[in-house]
Amino acid sequence: MNSSEEIAVSGMSAGRSAMRMGPAELVQAAAMARRFYLEGKSKIQIAEEFGVSRFKVARVLETALERDLVRIEIRVPAELDAERSDALRARYGLRHAVVVESPAEAEETPDPENLGEVAADLLGELVNEGDVLGLAWGRSTIHMAAALDRLPPCTVVQLTGVYDAGTAERGSVEAVRRAAQVSGGDAHPIYAPMLLPDAATATALRNQTGIARAFEHFDKVTVACVSIGSWEPGISTVHDMLTEEERAHYASLGVAAEMSAHLFDAEGRRVGRDLGERCITVKADQLRRIPEVVAIAGGQRKGPAIDAVLRSGLVTSLVTDTSAADYLMTAGPAPKSALNRSDPDGV
C-alpha cells in the first residue's frame, strides 16, 4: 500500500446506508476490508480464510466502499497540489509533473526556492546508479543542488557555461560539485561564461581540455535538469547578457522563452539559432536525445515561457508552482505529447 494513502476501516459507525447490513455482514465486511487494505492479503487468500469464493470477497469489498464502511483518503504533503499535477501531466503528455503551492507573499516571483527543494527530491527518485546527470545553469537548478541530500552514485556534468565566470563558486560550478559530492561520483564542471563575444572565441574555449572533457559527456547524459527564462529583464540570463540592439533583434524574431541559451517562439520553434554559435552549451538535439529532461520553473510571469518550452519537445518532466500551472492549463490548444520528443521545426 502506498504510504501516501490512508485507509480507515470501521465496523460500527458506517453511516445510515451501511446499517442496512446485518451485524454479521458488517463484522465480516470489516474483517475482509482490514485483510485487503491494511494487511495486503489477496482476494484469494481472504476467500480461503473465510470459506467463500473470491467473487464473494470482491462483492463485499465493493459494497464496503459504496456504503462508507471503508474510507480511502489519498494524502500528499500540503505543499504539493496532486490534482493540478495530474492535470498538467495529462495536458502536456509529460512523464512527471509536480506542482507546488505558490508562496502567498511571492506570487509574482519567478522560480520560488521551494521548487528547488521539491526538484531535489524528484531527482532522488529519477537518478539511478551509473547514470550521468547533467545540470544547466539557472537559479532554480542552483537551489535544487543546494537542497540535494540523496543521490545514487552517478557522474555529474555541467551542460552550460556560467552567467558570470566570476560567480562560478556560487553558481552552476558549485551546483555540479554539490551534486557530485552527494552522489559520490565524478564531477565535470565548465569554467567558462555561457555567452562569448563571437563564435571564434566560443569555438576556442570548447576545444580547451577541461571544457572538451565535459562536452564529451553530453551524449552520455541520462537525466538533465534545466531552467526556463522569459524574454524579459531579470528573468532570462541570456536576455540580460545581450546588448540592447541584440535583444531587439531576437525580439523581432518572436522569441518568447529561452532554455540553456536556446531561444523559442510561442509555438516551441527554435529561433535565433546563430546565438548558439557564441554559447557554451549543450545542443538542442543532444537535449532531445536525453531520456529524462526535468525543467524547473515557476511563477505567473514565466507561464508563457514554460508553455513555449514544453511545446518544443525537449522537456519530459516539469516542477512548477500553482501560479504557473493555472496559466498553463488554459494556454491555447493542447500541445502534442512532450514524450514524442519531435522537433516543432520538423528539422
Side-chain angles (χ1 to χ4, degrees):
M1 183 60 61
N2 191 302
S3 61
S4 67
E5 299 182 6
E6 179 179 289
I7 311 299
V9 180
S10 171
M12 298 302 293
S13 302
R16 170 180 275 178
S17 60
M19 291 307 294
R20 295 173 186 166
M21 299 173 70
E25 291 176 304
L26 278 170
V27 170
Q28 185 183 69
M32 288 183 176
R34 186 174 298 280
R35 303 290 194 280
F36 185 73
Y37 291 110
L38 299 183
E39 298 176 13
K41 291 188 176 181
S42 70
K43 293 175 184 176
I44 293 176
Q45 289 174 313
I46 297 169
E48 291 176 351
E49 178 182 348
F50 287 89
V52 298
S53 71
R54 61 187 177 90
F55 302 105
K56 167 73 171 177
V57 173
R59 285 197 299 271
V60 170
L61 293 175
E62 184 178 350
T63 300
L65 283 171
E66 290 175 350
R67 298 191 177 186
D68 202 30
L69 183 64
V70 174
R71 298 187 305 276
I72 300 177
E73 298 179 14
I74 300 176
R75 294 181 176 179
V76 295
E79 68 271 17
L80 299 182
D81 192 313
E83 186 175 348
R84 282 186 174 92
S85 298
D86 188 54
L88 197 60
R89 180 201 57 76
R91 173 175 167 79
Y92 284 91
L94 295 165
R95 184 170 292 119
H96 303 284
V98 182
V99 178
V100 182
E101 287 289 342
S102 302
E105 69 280 4
E107 289 188 356
E108 294 300 315
T109 302
D111 303 337
E113 288 192 24
N114 61 340
L115 292 185
E117 297 169 4
V118 173
D121 286 340
L122 177 62
L123 213 58
E125 293 182 63
L126 299 180
V127 177
N128 296 306
E129 183 173 351
D131 276 348
V132 177
L133 171 62
L135 300 181
W137 195 96
R139 297 178 185 88
S140 56
T141 51
I142 291 170
H143 292 153
M144 180 276 298
L148 281 172
D149 59 10
R150 63 185 177 100
L151 271 181
C154 64
T155 299
V156 186
V157 60
Q158 192 170 324
L159 296 179
T160 64
V162 298
Y163 174 43
D164 180 349
T167 65
E169 291 301 315
R170 294 177 283 113
S172 46
V173 169
E174 179 56 31
V176 169
R177 287 175 174 169
R178 167 64 182 167
Q181 180 184 32
V182 172
S183 74
D186 293 333
H188 295 277
I190 294 177
Y191 296 95
M194 181 189 295
L195 181 66
L196 282 304
D198 52 64
T201 304
T203 299
L205 276 178
R206 292 190 200 103
N207 290 328
Q208 288 189 358
T209 303
I211 297 175
R213 188 176 298 119
F215 269 60
E216 289 172 0
H217 282 80
F218 286 0
D219 287 328
K220 305 173 186 176
V221 173
T222 50
V223 180
C225 281
V226 300
S227 296
I228 295 172
S230 300
W231 197 246
E232 55 181 305
I235 311 186
S236 163
T237 53
V238 173
H239 179 282
D240 292 346
M241 286 189 285
L242 296 173
T243 65
E244 287 291 343
E245 183 178 355
E246 289 171 330
R247 292 170 190 163
H249 166 66
Y250 291 116
S252 71
L253 300 179
V255 60
E258 63 95 356
M259 179 184 68
S260 304
H262 300 293
L263 309 182
F264 305 87
D265 67 10
E267 300 301 319
R269 295 182 294 255
R270 289 180 58 212
V271 296
R273 298 189 183 211
D274 61 301
L275 183 65
E277 299 174 5
R278 297 169 48 195
C279 293
I280 303 296
T281 186
V282 61
K283 295 178 180 179
D285 289 342
Q286 289 174 311
L287 278 173
R288 201 179 302 280
R289 291 193 295 269
I290 296 174
E292 184 73 80
V293 179
V294 181
I296 313 169
Q300 194 172 44
R301 291 171 63 187
K302 276 198 177 182
I306 299 171
D307 177 63
V309 172
L310 291 182
R311 292 173 185 273
S312 74
L314 295 177
V315 170
T316 60
S317 297
L318 174 69
V319 177
T320 190
D321 63 356
T322 51
S323 293
D326 286 344
Y327 174 88
L328 293 170
M329 289 306 299
T330 58
K336 295 183 296 184
S337 170
L339 297 183
N340 67 24
R341 312 304 295 277
S342 61
D343 187 340
D345 295 332
V347 295

